[in-house]
Amino acid sequence: MQDQTFRRLAFCVTLASSVAISCASAESDSNNDGGGGATATSSVSSASGSGGATSSSTTTVAGTGGDNSGGSGGAEPTGSGSAGTGGWPEGAIPMGNAPVPSAGCGKATTLTTKEYTISSSGQNRVYYVDMPKNYDMNKPYRLFYTSHWIGSRWQDVEGQDFYFLKPQLEADGEQAIFVAPSSDGATWQEKDHALFDDIMALMNESVCYDTTRVFATGFSFGGMITYSLSTNHQAEIRAAVGIAPANYNIWLPEKTRKPIAWMHTTGMTDGTCPWVNNEAQKRGAKFIALEKAEDNGCTIPTDIPTSNGAYSCYDFQDCDPEHPTRVCTFGGGHTNIDGNPNWIPIESWKFFKQF
């Protein structure tokens, strides 16, 4: 335990000393991104968190906040979803739906917590799987697909306990399957959409997870590939959280503009993946929020409330009940670590667990 604690602390020190590589050039088409999440020093106010999917006001929050369980309604999907990657029938899935098991449920698995190699797009690609303790082959677990930042590997995401989500789940008595792939080179590319499909097809056959509770998250370039996947994988990914994402300098498919539950975080002094990079070209995190709000049927405000101090989360109003849309801003830079306790994984888990 002492060695593990030292490893976490050493990793955060490494993050704090990382040098950001800008992804903010409006003219460049090269794949640039930020470095590891440096620890911000700004404080967080002690107002309690409200969370809900369609809050009518901007709420500055800290701590764990409340459970954002949404309402029910509509028919629940049946069966194991589409072949290969799981998923569910066309149409919205009600909040709090019964789990839809993958094809791997009820079968003994050979997967354990370790690194694996898979053939994808003619290459051998590496990814890491973290399995629940005392894995139950009959229990459909949540599955998190976690993508690393530029120049890093799955080891860096695992070293942060999967963006610090795993301790949040364990504090609530929950366990999940975590998957962390490694990019081919410094950045995520077009072929990483196929990598997601290939890994999920294998997971569908190999382990028991809930095909209606596949979640995606990532920081910086990891947030950018999370955003990219969210634009055409709405049938496979129930909800996604982009941490300091951008909507440029990343390969984007033809967008389906179908709804998907979405949250992202942005520091208002982030010069790497800024709130607004180019207003005319709609480059920046602001335009991710507006795009998702439009796709999810939300009311678009004249201005999205933001915070240059303690973090503040804005829940778009009147969204599809099944597709809450939220953006959290704060007076910090390009980071996935802010405040003590770090509010980013707290708010991320609060967002994910409402489904």
Side-chain angles (χ1 to χ4, degrees):
M1 178 63 70
Q2 187 176 21
D3 290 343
Q4 184 181 33
T5 301
F6 178 80
R7 181 165 67 95
R8 303 292 184 221
L9 291 172
F11 188 80
C12 289
V13 170
T14 300
L15 289 177
S17 62
S18 297
V19 179
I21 303 171
S22 177
C23 72
S25 172
E27 290 76 25
S28 173
D29 288 329
S30 62
N31 285 331
N32 298 313
D33 186 34
T39 303
T41 58
S42 60
S43 62
V44 180
S45 67
S46 59
S48 61
S50 62
T54 56
S55 170
S56 61
S57 63
T58 304
T59 306
T60 301
V61 291
T64 58
D67 188 356
N68 293 336
S69 299
S72 60
E76 294 178 356
T78 58
S80 59
S82 59
T85 60
W88 53 83
E90 193 71 24
I93 303 302
M95 304 293 274
N97 65 286
V100 178
S102 63
C105 290
K107 303 176 185 177
T109 185
T110 60
L111 294 186
T112 59
T113 297
K114 68 175 188 177
E115 177 185 282
Y116 292 91
T117 300
I118 189 171
S119 177
S120 181
S121 300
Q123 292 181 290
N124 287 329
R125 300 292 301 274
V126 173
Y127 66 103
Y128 183 81
V129 177
D130 186 272
M131 294 289 287
K133 295 178 181 178
N134 302 315
Y135 169 78
D136 182 348
M137 67 180 181
N138 296 307
K139 178 179 178 178
Y141 293 90
R142 295 179 180 89
L143 188 149
F144 290 86
Y145 192 85
T146 58
S147 301
H148 63 72
W149 55 94
I150 193 171
S152 57
R153 292 291 180 266
W154 67 255
Q155 290 90 338
D156 301 300
V157 176
E158 188 275 335
Q160 282 194 345
D161 278 329
F162 307 96
Y163 294 114
F164 311 108
L165 280 169
K166 188 175 178 180
Q168 293 295 319
L169 271 73
E170 290 177 344
D172 277 351
E174 299 286 345
Q175 293 191 77
I177 298 169
F178 292 90
V179 177
S182 287
S183 62
D184 173 35
T187 62
W188 298 106
Q189 305 166 41
E190 177 179 355
K191 61 187 174 184
D192 295 309
H193 274 238
L195 177 65
F196 172 86
D197 294 335
D198 292 336
I199 289 176
M200 290 307 301
L202 184 146
M203 297 300 290
N204 183 61
E205 296 296 328
S206 303
V207 296
C208 186
Y209 70 91
D210 182 352
T211 62
T212 66
R213 288 178 176 87
V214 174
F215 303 123
T217 191
F219 165 61
S220 196
F221 223 95
M224 292 159 70
I225 186 62
T226 298
Y227 165 68
S228 182
L229 287 168
S230 78
T231 65
N232 73 342
H233 279 76
Q234 296 93 331
E236 292 77 32
I237 299 172
R238 177 72 173 272
V241 172
I243 307 170
N247 62 347
Y248 56 96
N249 287 349
I250 181 72
W251 180 81
L252 294 173
E254 181 178 352
K255 299 176 183 178
T256 67
R257 302 305 302 263
K258 293 181 179 179
I260 183 173
W262 177 264
M263 169 183 153
H264 75 255
T265 69
T266 296
M268 296 306 290
T269 61
D270 188 342
T272 303
C273 295
W275 181 245
V276 175
N277 169 259
N278 186 303
E279 187 82 31
Q281 297 178 8
K282 297 184 177 181
R283 288 186 168 194
K286 168 186 173 181
F287 303 103
I288 295 177
L290 291 173
E291 176 187 301
K292 295 304 185 186
E294 183 178 339
D295 292 349
N296 293 342
C298 311
T299 296
I300 307 300
T302 302
D303 292 301
I304 300 173
T306 60
S307 175
N308 287 300
Y311 85 93
S312 179
C313 293
Y314 175 74
D315 296 291
F316 284 86
Q317 301 176 50
D318 306 317
C319 305
D320 301 337
E322 306 85 0
H323 303 116
T325 310
R326 162 177 270 218
V327 61
C328 298
T329 55
F330 61 102
H334 192 67
T335 185
N336 70 323
I337 303 171
D338 184 66
N340 186 18
N342 182 13
W343 61 267
I344 294 174
I346 293 172
E347 290 295 334
S348 296
W349 170 230
K350 188 165 67 173
F351 185 77
F352 284 132
K353 73 178 179 180
Q354 67 187 306
F355 299 99

